[in-house]
PDB file of all heavy atoms in Angstrom:
ATOM      1  N   GLU D  49       0.833  -1.201   0.000  1.00 97.00           N
ATOM      2  CA  GLU D  49       0.000   0.000   0.000  1.00 97.00           C
ATOM      3  C   GLU D  49       0.871   1.255   0.000  1.00 97.00           C
ATOM      4  O   GLU D  49       2.000   1.244   0.503  1.00 97.00           O
ATOM      5  CB  GLU D  49      -0.901   0.052   1.229  1.00 97.00           C
ATOM      6  CG  GLU D  49      -1.849  -1.116   1.405  1.00 97.00           C
ATOM      7  CD  GLU D  49      -1.368  -2.095   2.442  1.00 97.00           C
ATOM      8  OE1 GLU D  49      -0.134  -2.166   2.654  1.00 97.00           O
ATOM      9  OE2 GLU D  49      -2.210  -2.785   3.050  1.00 97.00           O
ATOM     10  N   SER D  50       0.316   2.318  -0.514  1.00 97.00           N
ATOM     11  CA  SER D  50       0.969   3.629  -0.457  1.00 97.00           C
ATOM     12  C   SER D  50      -0.108   4.700  -0.535  1.00 97.00           C
ATOM     13  O   SER D  50      -1.264   4.414  -0.849  1.00 97.00           O
ATOM     14  CB  SER D  50       1.974   3.786  -1.595  1.00 97.00           C
ATOM     15  OG  SER D  50       1.321   3.710  -2.850  1.00 97.00           O
ATOM     16  N   GLY D  51       0.304   5.932  -0.239  1.00 97.00           N
ATOM     17  CA  GLY D  51      -0.611   7.062  -0.386  1.00 97.00           C
ATOM     18  C   GLY D  51      -1.166   7.614   0.911  1.00 97.00           C
ATOM     19  O   GLY D  51      -1.873   8.629   0.892  1.00 97.00           O
ATOM     20  N   GLY D  52      -0.872   6.973   2.018  1.00 97.00           N
ATOM     21  CA  GLY D  52      -1.348   7.496   3.279  1.00 97.00           C
ATOM     22  C   GLY D  52      -0.597   8.750   3.688  1.00 97.00           C
ATOM     23  O   GLY D  52       0.379   9.150   3.054  1.00 97.00           O
ATOM     24  N   GLY D  53      -1.074   9.371   4.755  1.00 97.00           N
ATOM     25  CA  GLY D  53      -0.410  10.572   5.242  1.00 97.00           C
ATOM     26  C   GLY D  53      -1.310  11.379   6.142  1.00 97.00           C
ATOM     27  O   GLY D  53      -2.350  10.905   6.601  1.00 97.00           O
ATOM     28  N   LEU D  54      -0.878  12.603   6.370  1.00 98.00           N
ATOM     29  CA  LEU D  54      -1.626  13.541   7.210  1.00 98.00           C
ATOM     30  C   LEU D  54      -2.403  14.498   6.310  1.00 98.00           C
ATOM     31  O   LEU D  54      -1.820  15.087   5.389  1.00 98.00           O
ATOM     32  CB  LEU D  54      -0.664  14.325   8.104  1.00 98.00           C
ATOM     33  CG  LEU D  54      -1.256  15.458   8.937  1.00 98.00           C
ATOM     34  CD1 LEU D  54      -2.249  14.912   9.949  1.00 98.00           C
ATOM     35  CD2 LEU D  54      -0.133  16.237   9.626  1.00 98.00           C
ATOM     36  N   VAL D  55      -3.677  14.657   6.584  1.00 98.00           N
ATOM     37  CA  VAL D  55      -4.515  15.548   5.788  1.00 98.00           C
ATOM     38  C   VAL D  55      -5.488  16.267   6.705  1.00 98.00           C
ATOM     39  O   VAL D  55      -5.875  15.733   7.748  1.00 98.00           O
ATOM     40  CB  VAL D  55      -5.261  14.746   4.698  1.00 98.00           C
ATOM     41  CG1 VAL D  55      -6.219  13.734   5.300  1.00 98.00           C
ATOM     42  CG2 VAL D  55      -5.979  15.657   3.715  1.00 98.00           C
ATOM     43  N   GLN D  56      -5.855  17.474   6.327  1.00 98.00           N
ATOM     44  CA  GLN D  56      -6.811  18.232   7.131  1.00 98.00           C
ATOM     45  C   GLN D  56      -8.244  17.733   6.885  1.00 98.00           C
ATOM     46  O   GLN D  56      -8.534  17.189   5.812  1.00 98.00           O
ATOM     47  CB  GLN D  56      -6.723  19.714   6.789  1.00 98.00           C
ATOM     48  CG  GLN D  56      -5.417  20.366   7.216  1.00 98.00           C
ATOM     49  CD  GLN D  56      -5.431  21.859   6.985  1.00 98.00           C
ATOM     50  OE1 GLN D  56      -6.247  22.393   6.229  1.00 98.00           O
ATOM     51  NE2 GLN D  56      -4.520  22.554   7.654  1.00 98.00           N
ATOM     52  N   PRO D  57      -9.118  17.940   7.838  1.00 98.00           N
ATOM     53  CA  PRO D  57     -10.529  17.583   7.621  1.00 98.00           C
ATOM     54  C   PRO D  57     -11.065  18.252   6.363  1.00 98.00           C
ATOM     55  O   PRO D  57     -10.775  19.416   6.098  1.00 98.00           O
ATOM     56  CB  PRO D  57     -11.217  18.115   8.875  1.00 98.00           C
ATOM     57  CG  PRO D  57     -10.158  18.074   9.928  1.00 98.00           C
ATOM     58  CD  PRO D  57      -8.884  18.416   9.218  1.00 98.00           C
ATOM     59  N   GLY D  58     -11.814  17.472   5.594  1.00 98.00           N
ATOM     60  CA  GLY D  58     -12.328  17.959   4.333  1.00 98.00           C
ATOM     61  C   GLY D  58     -11.425  17.685   3.152  1.00 98.00           C
ATOM     62  O   GLY D  58     -11.832  17.885   2.001  1.00 98.00           O
ATOM     63  N   GLY D  59     -10.221  17.248   3.429  1.00 98.00           N
ATOM     64  CA  GLY D  59      -9.259  16.979   2.362  1.00 98.00           C
ATOM     65  C   GLY D  59      -9.452  15.620   1.720  1.00 98.00           C
ATOM     66  O   GLY D  59     -10.385  14.876   2.046  1.00 98.00           O
ATOM     67  N   SER D  60      -8.538  15.311   0.796  1.00 98.00           N
ATOM     68  CA  SER D  60      -8.617  14.067   0.028  1.00 98.00           C
ATOM     69  C   SER D  60      -7.274  13.357   0.027  1.00 98.00           C
ATOM     70  O   SER D  60      -6.217  13.992   0.140  1.00 98.00           O
ATOM     71  CB  SER D  60      -9.019  14.372  -1.421  1.00 98.00           C
ATOM     72  OG  SER D  60     -10.295  14.954  -1.495  1.00 98.00           O
ATOM     73  N   LEU D  61      -7.354  12.053  -0.112  1.00 98.00           N
ATOM     74  CA  LEU D  61      -6.185  11.206  -0.318  1.00 98.00           C
ATOM     75  C   LEU D  61      -6.579  10.085  -1.258  1.00 98.00           C
ATOM     76  O   LEU D  61      -7.744   9.675  -1.286  1.00 98.00           O
ATOM     77  CB  LEU D  61      -5.691  10.591   0.997  1.00 98.00           C
ATOM     78  CG  LEU D  61      -4.903  11.444   1.975  1.00 98.00           C
ATOM     79  CD1 LEU D  61      -4.632  10.654   3.246  1.00 98.00           C
ATOM     80  CD2 LEU D  61      -3.590  11.916   1.367  1.00 98.00           C
ATOM     81  N   ARG D  62      -5.586   9.578  -1.980  1.00 98.00           N
ATOM     82  CA  ARG D  62      -5.818   8.376  -2.779  1.00 98.00           C
ATOM     83  C   ARG D  62      -4.801   7.325  -2.370  1.00 98.00           C
ATOM     84  O   ARG D  62      -3.586   7.543  -2.489  1.00 98.00           O
ATOM     85  CB  ARG D  62      -5.701   8.649  -4.276  1.00 98.00           C
ATOM     86  CG  ARG D  62      -6.149   7.439  -5.105  1.00 98.00           C
ATOM     87  CD  ARG D  62      -6.153   7.682  -6.595  1.00 98.00           C
ATOM     88  NE  ARG D  62      -4.838   7.528  -7.195  1.00 98.00           N
ATOM     89  CZ  ARG D  62      -4.633   7.183  -8.465  1.00 98.00           C
ATOM     90  NH1 ARG D  62      -5.674   6.942  -9.252  1.00 98.00           N
ATOM     91  NH2 ARG D  62      -3.409   7.090  -8.951  1.00 98.00           N
ATOM     92  N   LEU D  63      -5.318   6.214  -1.923  1.00 98.00           N
ATOM     93  CA  LEU D  63      -4.476   5.081  -1.562  1.00 98.00           C
ATOM     94  C   LEU D  63      -4.329   4.153  -2.760  1.00 98.00           C
ATOM     95  O   LEU D  63      -5.265   3.987  -3.535  1.00 98.00           O
ATOM     96  CB  LEU D  63      -5.077   4.305  -0.395  1.00 98.00           C
ATOM     97  CG  LEU D  63      -5.393   5.092   0.876  1.00 98.00           C
ATOM     98  CD1 LEU D  63      -5.901   4.149   1.954  1.00 98.00           C
ATOM     99  CD2 LEU D  63      -4.197   5.885   1.355  1.00 98.00           C
ATOM    100  N   SER D  64      -3.149   3.561  -2.861  1.00 98.00           N
ATOM    101  CA  SER D  64      -2.888   2.578  -3.915  1.00 98.00           C
ATOM    102  C   SER D  64      -2.390   1.289  -3.278  1.00 98.00           C
ATOM    103  O   SER D  64      -1.735   1.309  -2.234  1.00 98.00           O
ATOM    104  CB  SER D  64      -1.825   3.102  -4.884  1.00 98.00           C
ATOM    105  OG  SER D  64      -2.235   4.290  -5.512  1.00 98.00           O
ATOM    106  N   CYS D  65      -2.692   0.197  -3.936  1.00 98.00           N
ATOM    107  CA  CYS D  65      -2.227  -1.109  -3.473  1.00 98.00           C
ATOM    108  C   CYS D  65      -1.791  -1.893  -4.705  1.00 98.00           C
ATOM    109  O   CYS D  65      -2.626  -2.180  -5.581  1.00 98.00           O
ATOM    110  CB  CYS D  65      -3.336  -1.845  -2.743  1.00 98.00           C
ATOM    111  SG  CYS D  65      -2.991  -3.581  -2.365  1.00 98.00           S
ATOM    112  N   VAL D  66      -0.505  -2.197  -4.758  1.00 98.00           N
ATOM    113  CA  VAL D  66       0.045  -2.949  -5.877  1.00 98.00           C
ATOM    114  C   VAL D  66       0.264  -4.393  -5.451  1.00 98.00           C
ATOM    115  O   VAL D  66       0.881  -4.652  -4.410  1.00 98.00           O
ATOM    116  CB  VAL D  66       1.359  -2.327  -6.366  1.00 98.00           C
ATOM    117  CG1 VAL D  66       1.908  -3.126  -7.542  1.00 98.00           C
ATOM    118  CG2 VAL D  66       1.150  -0.874  -6.769  1.00 98.00           C
ATOM    119  N   ALA D  67      -0.219  -5.311  -6.268  1.00 97.00           N
ATOM    120  CA  ALA D  67      -0.090  -6.736  -5.969  1.00 97.00           C
ATOM    121  C   ALA D  67       1.030  -7.363  -6.793  1.00 97.00           C
ATOM    122  O   ALA D  67       1.352  -6.901  -7.890  1.00 97.00           O
ATOM    123  CB  ALA D  67      -1.400  -7.454  -6.262  1.00 97.00           C
ATOM    124  N   SER D  68       1.574  -8.442  -6.248  1.00 96.00           N
ATOM    125  CA  SER D  68       2.670  -9.143  -6.917  1.00 96.00           C
ATOM    126  C   SER D  68       2.166 -10.175  -7.914  1.00 96.00           C
ATOM    127  O   SER D  68       2.971 -10.886  -8.521  1.00 96.00           O
ATOM    128  CB  SER D  68       3.562  -9.828  -5.884  1.00 96.00           C
ATOM    129  OG  SER D  68       2.824 -10.804  -5.163  1.00 96.00           O
ATOM    130  N   THR D  69       0.849 -10.247  -8.062  1.00 93.00           N
ATOM    131  CA  THR D  69       0.266 -11.212  -8.969  1.00 93.00           C
ATOM    132  C   THR D  69      -0.931 -10.578  -9.661  1.00 93.00           C
ATOM    133  O   THR D  69      -1.360  -9.480  -9.301  1.00 93.00           O
ATOM    134  CB  THR D  69      -0.166 -12.479  -8.204  1.00 93.00           C
ATOM    135  OG1 THR D  69      -0.509 -13.511  -9.123  1.00 93.00           O
ATOM    136  CG2 THR D  69      -1.383 -12.185  -7.326  1.00 93.00           C
ATOM    137  N   ARG D  70      -1.455 -11.268 -10.648  1.00 93.00           N
ATOM    138  CA  ARG D  70      -2.637 -10.755 -11.327  1.00 93.00           C
ATOM    139  C   ARG D  70      -3.819 -10.779 -10.363  1.00 93.00           C
ATOM    140  O   ARG D  70      -4.080 -11.782  -9.712  1.00 93.00           O
ATOM    141  CB  ARG D  70      -2.928 -11.612 -12.553  1.00 93.00           C
ATOM    142  CG  ARG D  70      -1.853 -11.536 -13.613  1.00 93.00           C
ATOM    143  CD  ARG D  70      -2.150 -12.462 -14.769  1.00 93.00           C
ATOM    144  NE  ARG D  70      -3.372 -12.042 -15.476  1.00 93.00           N
ATOM    145  CZ  ARG D  70      -3.861 -12.670 -16.541  1.00 93.00           C
ATOM    146  NH1 ARG D  70      -3.249 -13.743 -17.003  1.00 93.00           N
ATOM    147  NH2 ARG D  70      -4.957 -12.239 -17.123  1.00 93.00           N
ATOM    148  N   ILE D  71      -4.518  -9.654 -10.300  1.00 93.00           N
ATOM    149  CA  ILE D  71      -5.592  -9.531  -9.309  1.00 93.00           C
ATOM    150  C   ILE D  71      -6.976  -9.720  -9.915  1.00 93.00           C
ATOM    151  O   ILE D  71      -7.977  -9.614  -9.209  1.00 93.00           O
ATOM    152  CB  ILE D  71      -5.552  -8.159  -8.596  1.00 93.00           C
ATOM    153  CG1 ILE D  71      -5.799  -7.019  -9.591  1.00 93.00           C
ATOM    154  CG2 ILE D  71      -4.234  -7.975  -7.861  1.00 93.00           C
ATOM    155  CD1 ILE D  71      -6.044  -5.678  -8.933  1.00 93.00           C
ATOM    156  N   SER D  72      -7.037 -10.010 -11.199  1.00 93.00           N
ATOM    157  CA  SER D  72      -8.336 -10.019 -11.873  1.00 93.00           C
ATOM    158  C   SER D  72      -9.322 -11.012 -11.279  1.00 93.00           C
ATOM    159  O   SER D  72     -10.528 -10.805 -11.362  1.00 93.00           O
ATOM    160  CB  SER D  72      -8.145 -10.290 -13.370  1.00 93.00           C
ATOM    161  OG  SER D  72      -7.490 -11.532 -13.563  1.00 93.00           O
ATOM    162  N   ILE D  73      -8.816 -12.093 -10.677  1.00 94.00           N
ATOM    163  CA  ILE D  73      -9.735 -13.093 -10.148  1.00 94.00           C
ATOM    164  C   ILE D  73     -10.047 -12.874  -8.670  1.00 94.00           C
ATOM    165  O   ILE D  73     -10.872 -13.576  -8.102  1.00 94.00           O
ATOM    166  CB  ILE D  73      -9.174 -14.518 -10.333  1.00 94.00           C
ATOM    167  CG1 ILE D  73      -7.844 -14.682  -9.586  1.00 94.00           C
ATOM    168  CG2 ILE D  73      -9.026 -14.848 -11.811  1.00 94.00           C
ATOM    169  CD1 ILE D  73      -7.325 -16.112  -9.575  1.00 94.00           C
ATOM    170  N   TYR D  74      -9.397 -11.901  -8.065  1.00 96.00           N
ATOM    171  CA  TYR D  74      -9.551 -11.672  -6.631  1.00 96.00           C
ATOM    172  C   TYR D  74     -10.628 -10.643  -6.323  1.00 96.00           C
ATOM    173  O   TYR D  74     -10.834  -9.697  -7.080  1.00 96.00           O
ATOM    174  CB  TYR D  74      -8.241 -11.181  -6.014  1.00 96.00           C
ATOM    175  CG  TYR D  74      -7.183 -12.241  -5.877  1.00 96.00           C
ATOM    176  CD1 TYR D  74      -6.323 -12.529  -6.939  1.00 96.00           C
ATOM    177  CD2 TYR D  74      -7.033 -12.953  -4.697  1.00 96.00           C
ATOM    178  CE1 TYR D  74      -5.348 -13.503  -6.815  1.00 96.00           C
ATOM    179  CE2 TYR D  74      -6.058 -13.924  -4.565  1.00 96.00           C
ATOM    180  CZ  TYR D  74      -5.222 -14.190  -5.623  1.00 96.00           C
ATOM    181  OH  TYR D  74      -4.253 -15.156  -5.495  1.00 96.00           O
ATOM    182  N   ARG D  75     -11.286 -10.847  -5.222  1.00 97.00           N
ATOM    183  CA  ARG D  75     -12.056  -9.785  -4.610  1.00 97.00           C
ATOM    184  C   ARG D  75     -11.041  -8.899  -3.884  1.00 97.00           C
ATOM    185  O   ARG D  75     -10.294  -9.371  -3.034  1.00 97.00           O
ATOM    186  CB  ARG D  75     -13.058 -10.343  -3.613  1.00 97.00           C
ATOM    187  CG  ARG D  75     -13.806  -9.309  -2.780  1.00 97.00           C
ATOM    188  CD  ARG D  75     -14.659 -10.022  -1.747  1.00 97.00           C
ATOM    189  NE  ARG D  75     -15.408  -9.147  -0.873  1.00 97.00           N
ATOM    190  CZ  ARG D  75     -14.958  -8.699   0.293  1.00 97.00           C
ATOM    191  NH1 ARG D  75     -13.766  -9.042   0.721  1.00 97.00           N
ATOM    192  NH2 ARG D  75     -15.720  -7.923   1.038  1.00 97.00           N
ATOM    193  N   MET D  76     -11.019  -7.626  -4.205  1.00 97.00           N
ATOM    194  CA  MET D  76     -10.063  -6.694  -3.599  1.00 97.00           C
ATOM    195  C   MET D  76     -10.800  -5.776  -2.633  1.00 97.00           C
ATOM    196  O   MET D  76     -11.899  -5.292  -2.923  1.00 97.00           O
ATOM    197  CB  MET D  76      -9.369  -5.861  -4.670  1.00 97.00           C
ATOM    198  CG  MET D  76      -8.602  -6.682  -5.693  1.00 97.00           C
ATOM    199  SD  MET D  76      -7.282  -7.679  -4.969  1.00 97.00           S
ATOM    200  CE  MET D  76      -6.199  -6.411  -4.293  1.00 97.00           C
ATOM    201  N   GLY D  77     -10.178  -5.539  -1.497  1.00 98.00           N
ATOM    202  CA  GLY D  77     -10.834  -4.708  -0.501  1.00 98.00           C
ATOM    203  C   GLY D  77      -9.876  -3.823   0.262  1.00 98.00           C
ATOM    204  O   GLY D  77      -8.652  -4.046   0.266  1.00 98.00           O
ATOM    205  N   TRP D  78     -10.445  -2.808   0.848  1.00 98.00           N
ATOM    206  CA  TRP D  78      -9.733  -1.941   1.772  1.00 98.00           C
ATOM    207  C   TRP D  78     -10.408  -2.049   3.135  1.00 98.00           C
ATOM    208  O   TRP D  78     -11.639  -1.952   3.232  1.00 98.00           O
ATOM    209  CB  TRP D  78      -9.758  -0.487   1.298  1.00 98.00           C
ATOM    210  CG  TRP D  78      -8.896  -0.213   0.118  1.00 98.00           C
ATOM    211  CD1 TRP D  78      -9.267  -0.184  -1.185  1.00 98.00           C
ATOM    212  CD2 TRP D  78      -7.500   0.079   0.152  1.00 98.00           C
ATOM    213  NE1 TRP D  78      -8.184   0.102  -1.979  1.00 98.00           N
ATOM    214  CE2 TRP D  78      -7.075   0.275  -1.175  1.00 98.00           C
ATOM    215  CE3 TRP D  78      -6.541   0.205   1.169  1.00 98.00           C
ATOM    216  CZ2 TRP D  78      -5.765   0.583  -1.529  1.00 98.00           C
ATOM    217  CZ3 TRP D  78      -5.239   0.513   0.825  1.00 98.00           C
ATOM    218  CH2 TRP D  78      -4.854   0.696  -0.497  1.00 98.00           C
ATOM    219  N   TYR D  79      -9.587  -2.244   4.150  1.00 98.00           N
ATOM    220  CA  TYR D  79     -10.038  -2.305   5.531  1.00 98.00           C
ATOM    221  C   TYR D  79      -9.281  -1.241   6.316  1.00 98.00           C
ATOM    222  O   TYR D  79      -8.250  -0.748   5.862  1.00 98.00           O
ATOM    223  CB  TYR D  79      -9.756  -3.686   6.131  1.00 98.00           C
ATOM    224  CG  TYR D  79     -10.601  -4.793   5.572  1.00 98.00           C
ATOM    225  CD1 TYR D  79     -10.396  -5.271   4.280  1.00 98.00           C
ATOM    226  CD2 TYR D  79     -11.608  -5.389   6.331  1.00 98.00           C
ATOM    227  CE1 TYR D  79     -11.171  -6.295   3.766  1.00 98.00           C
ATOM    228  CE2 TYR D  79     -12.385  -6.416   5.835  1.00 98.00           C
ATOM    229  CZ  TYR D  79     -12.158  -6.865   4.550  1.00 98.00           C
ATOM    230  OH  TYR D  79     -12.927  -7.882   4.045  1.00 98.00           O
ATOM    231  N   ARG D  80      -9.781  -0.929   7.483  1.00 98.00           N
ATOM    232  CA  ARG D  80      -9.066  -0.005   8.345  1.00 98.00           C
ATOM    233  C   ARG D  80      -9.193  -0.434   9.799  1.00 98.00           C
ATOM    234  O   ARG D  80     -10.145  -1.096  10.183  1.00 98.00           O
ATOM    235  CB  ARG D  80      -9.560   1.434   8.160  1.00 98.00           C
ATOM    236  CG  ARG D  80     -10.994   1.686   8.635  1.00 98.00           C
ATOM    237  CD  ARG D  80     -11.420   3.098   8.254  1.00 98.00           C
ATOM    238  NE  ARG D  80     -12.773   3.385   8.698  1.00 98.00           N
ATOM    239  CZ  ARG D  80     -13.443   4.486   8.357  1.00 98.00           C
ATOM    240  NH1 ARG D  80     -12.872   5.396   7.565  1.00 98.00           N
ATOM    241  NH2 ARG D  80     -14.672   4.677   8.810  1.00 98.00           N
ATOM    242  N   GLN D  81      -8.208   0.000  10.564  1.00 98.00           N
ATOM    243  CA  GLN D  81      -8.212  -0.300  11.993  1.00 98.00           C
ATOM    244  C   GLN D  81      -7.688   0.906  12.745  1.00 98.00           C
ATOM    245  O   GLN D  81      -6.537   1.319  12.538  1.00 98.00           O
ATOM    246  CB  GLN D  81      -7.370  -1.532  12.301  1.00 98.00           C
ATOM    247  CG  GLN D  81      -7.465  -1.985  13.747  1.00 98.00           C
ATOM    248  CD  GLN D  81      -6.859  -3.353  13.963  1.00 98.00           C
ATOM    249  OE1 GLN D  81      -6.081  -3.847  13.156  1.00 98.00           O
ATOM    250  NE2 GLN D  81      -7.236  -3.998  15.066  1.00 98.00           N
ATOM    251  N   ALA D  82      -8.530   1.462  13.586  1.00 96.00           N
ATOM    252  CA  ALA D  82      -8.146   2.557  14.469  1.00 96.00           C
ATOM    253  C   ALA D  82      -7.727   1.982  15.817  1.00 96.00           C
ATOM    254  O   ALA D  82      -8.149   0.883  16.181  1.00 96.00           O
ATOM    255  CB  ALA D  82      -9.307   3.520  14.636  1.00 96.00           C
ATOM    256  N   PRO D  83      -6.910   2.703  16.572  1.00 91.00           N
ATOM    257  CA  PRO D  83      -6.457   2.209  17.877  1.00 91.00           C
ATOM    258  C   PRO D  83      -7.640   1.832  18.761  1.00 91.00           C
ATOM    259  O   PRO D  83      -8.598   2.603  18.909  1.00 91.00           O
ATOM    260  CB  PRO D  83      -5.691   3.393  18.449  1.00 91.00           C
ATOM    261  CG  PRO D  83      -5.198   4.130  17.264  1.00 91.00           C
ATOM    262  CD  PRO D  83      -6.275   3.995  16.234  1.00 91.00           C
ATOM    263  N   GLY D  84      -7.585   0.629  19.324  1.00 93.00           N
ATOM    264  CA  GLY D  84      -8.633   0.169  20.217  1.00 93.00           C
ATOM    265  C   GLY D  84      -9.855  -0.400  19.526  1.00 93.00           C
ATOM    266  O   GLY D  84     -10.787  -0.862  20.195  1.00 93.00           O
ATOM    267  N   ASN D  85      -9.842  -0.363  18.190  1.00 95.00           N
ATOM    268  CA  ASN D  85     -10.993  -0.855  17.428  1.00 95.00           C
ATOM    269  C   ASN D  85     -10.627  -2.102  16.638  1.00 95.00           C
ATOM    270  O   ASN D  85      -9.458  -2.374  16.374  1.00 95.00           O
ATOM    271  CB  ASN D  85     -11.494   0.222  16.461  1.00 95.00           C
ATOM    272  CG  ASN D  85     -12.135   1.391  17.163  1.00 95.00           C
ATOM    273  OD1 ASN D  85     -12.307   1.379  18.376  1.00 95.00           O
ATOM    274  ND2 ASN D  85     -12.482   2.404  16.405  1.00 95.00           N
TER     275      ASN D  85
END
């Protein structure tokens, strides 16, 4: 993954995830985890 960082409220970011294999057959997802969650 790449593209994370610090941004102000209301701002935008684009995350990217590059795989080492062909992803066409995979279900691809983004998950998140905050501290304590």
Side-chain angles (χ1 to χ4, degrees):
E49 301 102 333
S50 62
L54 173 64
V55 64
Q56 292 186 342
S60 297
L61 283 175
R62 188 176 82 153
L63 305 183
S64 299
C65 170
V66 180
S68 62
T69 191
R70 295 177 65 179
I71 63 169
S72 59
I73 61 172
Y74 287 86
R75 173 185 179 269
M76 301 300 297
W78 288 96
Y79 290 72
R80 67 186 181 188
Q81 187 168 18
N85 291 355

